[in-house]
Amino acid sequence: MRYSTQVKPISYLKANAAEVLQQLTDQREAMIITQNGEARAVIQDVASYEETQEALALLKLLALGNQDVEAGRTRPLADVAKRVRAKQP
């Protein structure tokens, strides 16, 4: 994504809100909104936001798993498999 093409002043957002929302949905690219020449906000469509949140959640799980491995909080696969099988009806 080229952010330079997706930078708009807040006045553009105010004047073209419906068009901006349609563009966000169609292009699935975030838009940077400026105020007084400074970046103030980033807006994106809901589907992209949800995908980003899901990706972040997976990354957090991976990081927690890596922390467990580094701390030695692991078990052999065979032991875990036995425990799972034992709990099945």
Side-chain angles (χ1 to χ4, degrees):
M1 170 189 341
R2 295 189 54 117
Y3 288 113
S4 60
T5 62
Q6 292 298 103
V7 177
K8 302 289 183 195
I10 196 165
S11 58
Y12 178 84
L13 175 62
K14 289 177 183 178
N16 302 288
E19 178 184 320
V20 167
L21 292 176
Q22 188 62 51
Q23 179 182 348
L24 291 170
T25 301
D26 293 344
Q27 295 180 1
R28 307 236 15 221
E29 291 183 355
M31 183 178 288
I32 299 169
I33 302 299
T34 63
Q35 186 176 35
N36 299 323
E38 293 184 25
R40 300 294 290 196
V42 177
I43 58 174
Q44 67 184 137
D45 65 290
V46 172
S48 295
Y49 176 79
E50 289 173 341
E51 287 175 6
T52 300
Q53 293 305 305
E54 289 171 6
L56 285 173
L58 288 173
L59 287 172
K60 286 179 183 179
L61 288 173
L62 289 171
L64 290 171
N66 284 338
Q67 288 174 0
D68 284 344
V69 169
E70 290 173 6
R73 293 186 298 262
T74 61
R75 297 201 174 157
L77 177 59
D79 293 351
V80 174
K82 282 181 192 177
R83 242 177 116 192
V84 169
R85 286 187 198 111
K87 289 184 179 184
Q88 293 178 351

